[in-house]
Amino acid sequence: FPPPLHDIRRRQPPLELIRKFSMDLSSVTGEASTVARLSFPLIRDLRLDQLQVGARSTIRGASAPAPGGHGRVTADSLSLEVDATGLRLSGAARIDGTPARISWRERFAGGDADDPRRAVELRGALDAAMLEKLGIAGIEIGEAAAPLRLSLGAQGPNDPDRFTLTADLGPAA
């Protein structure tokens, strides 16, 4: 590292951006191509607040547990952006083979107090098999598929995730 970064690395604890959100990453797989960005003034006494860190990745062959822990979300290619304030992930995916779109925002710091700490949204087609994969019981929708939006989110760092499922059951009737 150049002298300013070497000094700041010695004086400051690790940023631990990945540990700032509450997901067990041990069962997440994939391969990322990443471009990292560091921006800082070239001065001797560099402070952590003067260092800006960011990364943009394309994740290929991604696989992770589905919301609720039932089944897996997989994707050929996802877009990921991370900086000191948060994480943004998006792209076309599959939930146990069923096509879906995923959008995930995780706020580490900053932002408006009304912005959720976590906002995950899956959009796809809901059928009886998908309900079962997501661990949702007690809803009868017949054999047809219905447009679905599944949202998972939490406001504060200690708030539990809230689960919302929106579906147009007209096509399934």
Side-chain angles (χ1 to χ4, degrees), residues 17 34-37 53-57 80-84 86 88:
L17 295 177
T34 303
V35 174
R37 179 182 30 77
V53 179
R56 184 171 287 170
S57 299
L80 173 67
E81 293 182 36
V82 181
D83 60 27
R88 291 157 301 286

Side-chain angles (χ1 to χ4, degrees), residues 27-38:
S27 63
V28 175
T29 60
E31 187 173 307
S33 298
T34 303
V35 174
R37 179 182 30 77
L38 297 173

Side-chain angles (χ1 to χ4, degrees), residues 88-129:
R88 291 157 301 286
L89 177 85
S90 62
R94 293 173 303 284
I95 302 173
D96 281 348
T98 302
R101 295 243 1 124
I102 186 169
S103 171
W104 179 355
R105 290 181 300 113
E106 189 84 22
R107 181 172 47 91
F108 300 148
D112 190 326
D114 292 334
D115 289 341
R117 171 181 54 86
R118 172 180 301 122
V120 180
E121 185 172 282
L122 292 171
R123 290 179 178 260
L126 177 68
D127 59 15

Side-chain angles (χ1 to χ4, degrees), residues 1-151:
F1 286 109
L5 287 182
H6 178 72
D7 288 346
I8 198 168
R9 200 177 103 217
R10 241 187 4 212
R11 292 181 308 197
Q12 299 294 331
L15 295 175
E16 298 183 339
L17 295 177
I18 298 302
R19 292 187 183 169
K20 293 189 186 252
F21 64 97
S22 55
M23 180 180 174
D24 176 18
L25 297 177
S26 65
S27 63
V28 175
T29 60
E31 187 173 307
S33 298
T34 303
V35 174
R37 179 182 30 77
L38 297 173
S39 177
F40 55 92
L42 293 174
I43 58 175
R44 179 170 297 285
D45 296 321
L46 184 65
R47 296 184 321 269
L48 184 61
D49 65 338
Q50 293 173 303
L51 177 64
Q52 295 177 358
V53 179
R56 184 171 287 170
S57 299
T58 298
I59 302 171
R60 302 206 186 288
S63 179
H70 301 278
R72 294 201 63 81
V73 176
T74 58
D76 294 332
S77 180
L78 295 171
S79 173
L80 173 67
E81 293 182 36
V82 181
D83 60 27
T85 63
L87 168 150
R88 291 157 301 286
L89 177 85
S90 62
R94 293 173 303 284
I95 302 173
D96 281 348
T98 302
R101 295 243 1 124
I102 186 169
S103 171
W104 179 355
R105 290 181 300 113
E106 189 84 22
R107 181 172 47 91
F108 300 148
D112 190 326
D114 292 334
D115 289 341
R117 171 181 54 86
R118 172 180 301 122
V120 180
E121 185 172 282
L122 292 171
R123 290 179 178 260
L126 177 68
D127 59 15
M130 178 60 70
L131 284 174
E132 185 177 331
K133 289 174 191 177
L134 295 172
I136 301 170
I139 300 176
E140 297 292 329
I141 66 166
E143 297 299 317
L148 148 78
R149 187 178 87 207
L150 173 78
S151 301

